[in-house]
Amino acid sequence: MKAPPPQTDRPALDSDRHLTWHGWLFQEWGLLILAAVMAIIIWEITSSQVISELQVEDVRVELVIAGQDAERIGAVLNQPDTRVTLEMNCSERERHAIHAALTKAGGGIPVLRLQVNPEVGKDASRAISSSRDAWLWPVDNASDIGLRAKMPPGRVYKIEGVQQVNIARPPTIPDTQALAALGYVLRVLDPDTSAAADIKLSKAFLEFRAPRAVFAAGEQTLAMTPDALDLRPLLEATPLPLGKLQTFELSFNGWAAAEQDRTTNDPAEQTRVAQFRSNLPLERVTAKLVLERVEARAFTGRLEVLLHPDFTWDFEGQAPDEIVREIVPLTFKGKLSGPADALAEIEKAPELWDWAIWVSRPDKGWPKASTMGAPDERTRKGVRANIVWVPLNTDWVRRGVRFVPDPAKGEDQFFLKLGLRSKDG
């Protein structure tokens, strides 16, 4: 019998037990490659062959209107960032392909486009619906895998030509009354501007090819109010920029957000209107104004009566305190308020303005010649009248000069006796 090998020739079990992971990886690399290949084969089989109900969530919706329909319709979703979930019956590989196509179309985020049908019908708008509008699926086999998504709420609006929207006078901070209380007025330098205007706009209106419904309800005049002009920096400046032309570029953020003029009481429609307005192209509009200090001065001048010479008149009761009746022509001392430079001009040119009594039309009409024989009809009592300032230079009015009647002195309203002058004079 052969003798067993010496003790020193037996395998070293301790060396196997203490083999490092580097050594094990070097010895077993073939098994690792085989395991990896098997995993890939199994994934390939399961990802392409196993069909199940899958989803792609949080997909943003984007409306699409064909170029030839852009002048006929406009569309907007109820919410600006509407998201939907895509459902499908497919393999995991197909789901990944769909997600990749959506992400590519959205430039990094999943986006699904919805083609808007241009047909609206007789009404001015209609709801977005699956019966008219259609998804633009990102893959060709959408019907094979049952690709579907819930139609998002929104509306399609009919566009009927270009809408002209007037630009309203921008409000100011402080407002006109607060400025007057501080002793200031606004005016414009352009002599062609209306006397009622204190701010000059570079455009009177803007035009949009958009649905009328997003501008106003019914048949009312379309108007857009700019955001308020903040005049506080002017008032806080040292020195005050009085008499200097100031230019502001208007913004319409409040109007675009539909905060100022509501076209409807429906919250969903208000949101849609705000979305539509915020996407409209706005032209540059500027406002120009001049800040002036307000002063008040008393001016004495001739007082005329704005009445046809065929009529006679006299005061019924107390005349205003500042009317001097003892001389002819009558004189009146009244207070004018306006920019200091304009008041200085008025003081130097008394021949270019007058005071006048404005007679309101009697409630029973003007006296008639047929009533001359009736003594009770020769004189009409209780005819209302008031004093007005009549400048020949209308530029003073445009610059903000106003008569400030004193009610305590009877300057705001008083009464006259009114009748027809007799034929013999």
Side-chain angles (χ1 to χ4, degrees):
M1 177 180 295
K2 187 177 180 180
Q7 184 69 23
T8 55
D9 294 338
R10 293 179 180 178
L13 298 178
D14 290 343
S15 64
D16 288 343
R17 291 192 184 99
H18 297 289
L19 185 65
T20 65
W21 69 271
H22 299 86
W24 181 86
L25 182 64
F26 179 76
Q27 291 183 8
E28 306 297 338
W29 62 271
L31 292 176
L32 291 176
I33 293 176
L34 178 61
V37 171
M38 291 300 295
I40 293 173
I41 293 174
I42 293 172
W43 182 84
E44 286 284 342
I45 294 173
T46 56
S47 65
S48 60
Q49 299 299 324
V50 177
I51 306 300
S52 60
E53 180 73 23
L54 300 175
Q55 293 181 339
V56 177
E57 299 178 342
D58 201 31
V59 179
R60 185 166 61 85
V61 177
E62 182 179 288
L63 299 180
V64 176
I65 298 176
Q68 65 271 19
D69 300 325
E71 294 188 354
R72 299 172 50 196
I73 61 166
V76 66
L77 298 168
N78 279 17
Q79 297 299 326
D81 191 26
T82 298
R83 306 284 175 128
V84 295
T85 296
L86 272 66
E87 298 180 346
M88 63 205 79
N89 297 307
C90 64
S91 65
E92 187 66 29
R93 172 179 288 186
E94 289 174 311
R95 178 194 173 280
H96 280 294
I98 291 172
H99 186 276
L102 294 170
T103 304
K104 181 179 180 181
I109 60 173
V111 171
L112 179 61
R113 292 184 168 90
L114 178 62
Q115 182 74 55
V116 180
N117 190 304
E119 298 304 321
V120 177
K122 296 181 180 180
D123 296 330
S125 66
R126 67 167 176 83
I128 290 177
S129 67
S130 56
S131 62
R132 294 192 180 186
D133 309 304
W135 294 113
L136 297 177
W137 302 119
V139 293
D140 295 333
N141 63 335
S143 59
D144 297 336
I145 62 176
L147 191 57
R148 57 199 179 276
K150 185 178 180 180
M151 194 64 61
R155 291 199 75 79
V156 182
Y157 298 90
K158 183 184 297 183
I159 296 177
E160 297 177 331
V162 175
Q163 303 298 330
Q164 181 174 294
V165 185
N166 296 327
I167 302 176
R169 175 197 182 277
T172 60
I173 304 174
D175 62 18
T176 303
Q177 292 182 343
L179 283 172
L182 294 172
Y184 301 100
V185 293
L186 301 178
R187 68 181 180 93
V188 295
L189 299 178
D190 185 355
D192 296 327
T193 303
S194 167
D198 54 11
I199 297 176
K200 172 72 172 179
L201 300 182
S202 59
K203 291 182 175 65
F205 59 86
L206 294 179
E207 292 184 333
F208 303 98
R209 184 171 290 278
R212 180 183 173 85
V214 305
F215 300 118
E219 298 300 321
Q220 63 184 356
T221 302
L222 306 185
M224 53 196 302
T225 301
D227 299 328
L229 302 179
D230 191 353
L231 305 181
R232 289 173 294 186
L234 298 181
L235 299 174
E236 296 168 359
T238 303
L240 285 171
L242 298 177
K244 296 181 179 180
L245 186 66
Q246 307 292 331
T247 302
F248 299 83
E249 183 168 352
L250 298 183
S251 60
F252 296 88
N253 297 324
W255 173 82
E259 296 173 350
Q260 301 161 329
D261 52 319
R262 295 295 190 184
T263 59
T264 175
N265 292 324
D266 178 11
E269 180 65 8
Q270 291 173 359
T271 302
R272 290 191 291 265
V273 166
Q275 290 187 71
F276 216 115
R277 289 183 179 183
S278 64
N279 290 322
L280 290 173
L282 291 176
E283 298 179 40
R284 184 174 183 267
V285 184
T286 59
K288 295 182 179 181
L289 57 87
V290 173
L291 181 67
E292 291 280 13
R293 190 181 298 279
V294 178
E295 292 187 3
R297 299 184 192 176
F299 291 84
T300 301
R302 183 176 59 183
L303 178 67
E304 299 286 349
V305 180
L306 301 179
L307 192 64
H308 194 280
D310 287 348
F311 294 99
T312 63
W313 68 276
D314 196 0
F315 291 103
E316 171 70 16
Q318 180 66 36
D321 295 349
E322 299 296 334
I323 294 180
V324 180
R325 306 172 59 183
E326 290 73 20
I327 60 174
V328 178
L330 302 177
T331 61
F332 172 72
K333 182 180 181 181
K335 185 177 291 185
L336 295 179
S337 174
D341 58 343
L343 296 181
E345 295 173 13
I346 293 170
E347 190 171 30
K348 294 178 181 179
E351 71 281 1
L352 296 181
W353 58 271
D354 283 306
W355 296 108
I357 294 177
W358 175 270
V359 183
S360 302
R361 184 180 186 277
D363 295 336
K364 296 182 180 180
W366 301 105
K368 299 178 182 179
S370 60
T371 64
M372 289 293 292
D376 293 340
E377 292 294 334
R378 288 180 60 85
T379 301
R380 305 291 183 95
K381 298 181 179 181
V383 178
R384 292 184 298 275
N386 60 284
I387 295 176
V388 295
W389 179 61
V390 185
L392 297 180
N393 183 0
T394 57
D395 182 64
W396 290 330
V397 176
R398 183 185 59 78
R399 290 161 61 184
V401 178
R402 300 289 185 271
F403 168 48
V404 185
D406 188 345
K409 296 181 179 181
E411 296 172 358
D412 57 335
Q413 181 174 277
F414 49 95
F415 296 89
L416 300 180
K417 300 175 185 179
L418 188 62
L420 279 172
R421 194 178 302 278
S422 62
K423 294 182 179 180
D424 55 6

